[in-house]
Amino acid sequence: NWLSNDKGILVTNTDVTIDPFSFSGAIGSSGNDAGVRYQGGDLVITNSYFHDNQDGLLANADPNGSVTIKNSEFANNGIGDGRTHNIYVNEIGSLNISDSYFHDVAEGNEIKSRAYSTTVTNSRIFDNNSTSSYSIDIPNGGVATITGNTIEQGPNGHNSNIISFGVEGNLHPNSSMTVSGNTFVND
């Protein structure tokens, strides 16, 4: 289904809580439509399922905004061009992910965050047989905390690195990364 707004199934411009919902089939002519397109405010997603979209969640920049994801699943998003992902947040204040499951992205990243603060805890991130890139990509740094996760990079991934931090330069102030208590498997 082509979306007439060419953004997403749900477009948020203010504080929104989503619990529980399923988002599937976001397809638009831009090739970058999302189950949810965040444009500002504080977004909280719990107990939800995002699958088979061009992007699962796509967030515009809002340095004062936040995205919180709990107990949710992101699967089979992306169109295989390397520019679509299960989750992609631009420069927002914070991205907080806990107790969630990310898997089988098509060519892109399971989680891509340009947020000033990114926290991923107690989650499962599995590429399985997908053609993923990074499991977690934090290209501009920031304060990142990756703890208590199980991350498995599949055999068909197009990038041998599992986590990427600060590789695009233009680092956020006070950038630092803490990675602890995780289990990593590289197939």
Side-chain angles (χ1 to χ4, degrees):
N1 296 338
W2 288 91
L3 297 175
S4 61
N5 66 19
D6 204 22
K7 289 186 176 186
I9 295 170
L10 176 64
V11 179
T12 68
N13 293 304
T14 188
D15 296 355
V16 173
T17 298
I18 298 169
D19 177 43
F21 274 90
S22 180
F23 295 91
S24 178
I27 299 170
S29 60
S30 69
N32 209 24
D33 283 27
V36 171
R37 174 73 68 97
Y38 164 95
Q39 296 187 156
D42 295 324
L43 173 62
V44 176
I45 298 169
T46 56
N47 305 308
S48 295
Y49 182 32
F50 292 72
H51 64 96
D52 301 296
N53 301 290
Q54 289 173 329
D55 282 291
L57 167 68
L58 180 59
N60 291 357
D62 179 359
N64 298 312
S66 69
V67 174
T68 300
I69 299 166
K70 296 179 185 175
N71 196 37
S72 294
E73 181 176 354
F74 290 76
N76 302 304
N77 296 294
I79 60 173
D81 65 355
R83 295 187 305 256
T84 53
H85 313 279
N86 268 334
I87 290 181
Y88 181 11
V89 299
N90 280 292
E91 293 180 315
I92 63 173
S94 65
L95 170 64
N96 298 292
I97 298 170
S98 63
D99 305 303
S100 294
Y101 181 32
F102 300 85
H103 61 95
D104 297 295
V105 68
E107 188 65 34
N109 301 305
E110 299 288 352
I111 300 168
K112 183 168 185 167
S113 175
R114 295 183 190 276
Y116 292 95
S117 172
T118 300
T119 302
V120 182
T121 59
N122 301 319
S123 294
R124 295 176 297 148
I125 305 165
F126 294 172
D127 295 340
N128 297 315
N129 289 315
S130 71
T131 56
S132 64
S133 183
Y134 299 117
S135 297
I136 301 174
D137 183 15
I138 306 171
N140 301 117
V143 177
T145 304
I146 313 297
T147 60
N149 303 288
T150 300
I151 303 172
E152 183 170 2
Q153 186 176 54
N156 299 320
H158 291 170
N159 196 314
S160 61
N161 298 312
I162 294 175
I163 296 177
S164 166
F165 183 81
V167 299
E168 291 183 14
N170 195 23
L171 295 180
H172 297 313
N174 302 313
S175 287
S176 66
M177 183 174 199
T178 301
V179 178
S180 66
N182 299 285
T183 299
F184 294 97
V185 178
N186 190 342
D187 294 329

